[in-house]
Amino acid sequence: MIKIENLNKHFAKHKVLNDINLQFNAGECVALIGPNGSGKTTLIKSILALVTIEKGEIHVQNENIHNQSAYRSNIGYMPQINRFPEHMSVHQLFNMMKSIRSEVTDYDLSLYEAFDIESMGKKKLGILSGGMRQKVSASLAFLFKPEILILDEPTAGLDPVSNEILKDKLKQSKEKENKLVLITSHILNDLDDIADRVVYLMDGSLYFDKQMSVLKEETSESRLNKIIASILNSEKQYV
């Protein structure tokens, strides 16, 4: 569904993506992880054409995204930082988004209902807590039934119950609806139950890309945080 070929990106003299080659497929959940500054968010923004591709190509559903925008209608995006119009109410935001996407008449309201977004409908977006903003953002990402879901630190600020609701929704999207789920998180334990595959970036380069089952076998660990710690500690022994 998404194919990335020889992707490079600089900001001034700093190279943030270094010859990245990846392919993401329907029906899988990919954990895109790495330390701060590793290039995760820039890679996501490149897929969404929110930053200019300097060198290389990205194909989404077999279409080159260069100078294209229509492909984004098939992507549900939950950014790390939500920049909602502060003086707009929650209801107004959803109504606005529906009017922009007027070609869609069948909505996925499962998270909207599970998070009880209706009860906060009259609240101004500027006064919402971090957790409330995350709920609104997640509900919007799923609203138009996209084939691809890209979520950047989606569980940050969510209470435990809401966290589990979102994780269950992601598992359902992958397993029952055959959607591609691409997710970044520093809370690696949140990815244990949903990620099939781990893509690890370091200093803008692809450090490894492996199935979760293979990583568990190689490290004899079952939790992602312990898997990553085992790999990084093992590498240090040879430095």
Side-chain angles (χ1 to χ4, degrees), residues 53-94:
I53 295 175
E54 179 179 299
K55 180 183 176 184
E57 293 185 354
I58 299 177
H59 292 78
V60 175
Q61 295 177 311
N62 298 318
E63 295 289 337
N64 192 322
I65 69 170
H66 181 64
N67 290 333
Q68 302 293 325
S69 60
Y71 76 95
R72 287 186 291 197
S73 65
N74 291 319
I75 299 176
Y77 175 48
M78 184 177 175
Q80 182 176 359
I81 300 174
N82 308 303
R83 303 190 187 280
F84 297 133
E86 294 192 356
H87 299 295
M88 184 178 285
S89 73
V90 174
H91 275 160
Q92 288 172 332
L93 175 66
F94 277 84

Side-chain angles (χ1 to χ4, degrees), residues 82-223:
N82 308 303
R83 303 190 187 280
F84 297 133
E86 294 192 356
H87 299 295
M88 184 178 285
S89 73
V90 174
H91 275 160
Q92 288 172 332
L93 175 66
F94 277 84
N95 289 336
M96 180 186 72
M97 296 305 297
K98 287 178 180 179
S99 68
I100 292 172
R101 295 289 307 278
S102 58
E103 78 281 4
V104 180
T105 56
D106 184 23
Y107 306 112
D108 183 344
L109 297 172
S110 55
L111 285 185
Y112 185 95
E113 294 169 353
F115 290 151
D116 196 16
I117 302 297
E118 189 67 25
S119 68
M120 64 177 87
K122 295 182 180 180
K123 294 180 182 292
K124 298 296 184 184
L125 292 160
I127 67 168
L128 296 184
S129 68
M132 286 181 173
R133 294 171 74 89
Q134 288 293 87
K135 291 177 183 180
V136 168
S137 185
S139 300
L140 282 173
F142 285 86
L143 185 63
F144 299 107
K145 297 187 174 181
E147 294 299 313
I148 300 169
L149 292 154
I150 299 178
L151 303 98
D152 196 357
E153 301 287 347
T155 61
L158 288 182
D159 61 86
V161 173
S162 299
N163 192 345
E164 291 304 312
I165 289 172
L166 179 56
K167 286 164 62 177
D168 287 344
K169 179 62 176 174
L170 290 170
K171 284 190 283 187
Q172 176 184 321
S173 298
K174 173 191 68 170
E175 296 169 1
K176 297 182 179 180
E177 300 170 10
N178 201 40
K179 297 181 186 293
L180 165 62
V181 177
L182 180 59
I183 182 170
T184 76
S185 180
H186 283 98
I187 309 171
L188 299 187
N189 288 343
D190 283 343
L191 303 174
D192 285 335
D193 300 328
I194 56 175
D196 310 295
R197 175 179 160 199
V198 179
V199 171
Y200 194 95
L201 297 181
M202 185 177 290
D203 296 327
S205 296
L206 180 60
Y207 190 60
F208 67 79
D209 174 9
K210 294 186 178 182
Q211 294 294 316
M212 181 74 91
S213 58
V214 172
L215 290 170
K216 289 179 177 179
E217 184 176 347
E218 288 179 347
T219 62
S220 300
E221 299 286 357
S222 60
R223 307 297 296 272

Side-chain angles (χ1 to χ4, degrees), residues 20-34:
I20 301 296
N21 290 275
L22 289 165
Q23 183 161 331
F24 305 127
N25 305 306
E28 68 174 352
C29 178
V30 182
L32 177 62
I33 61 176

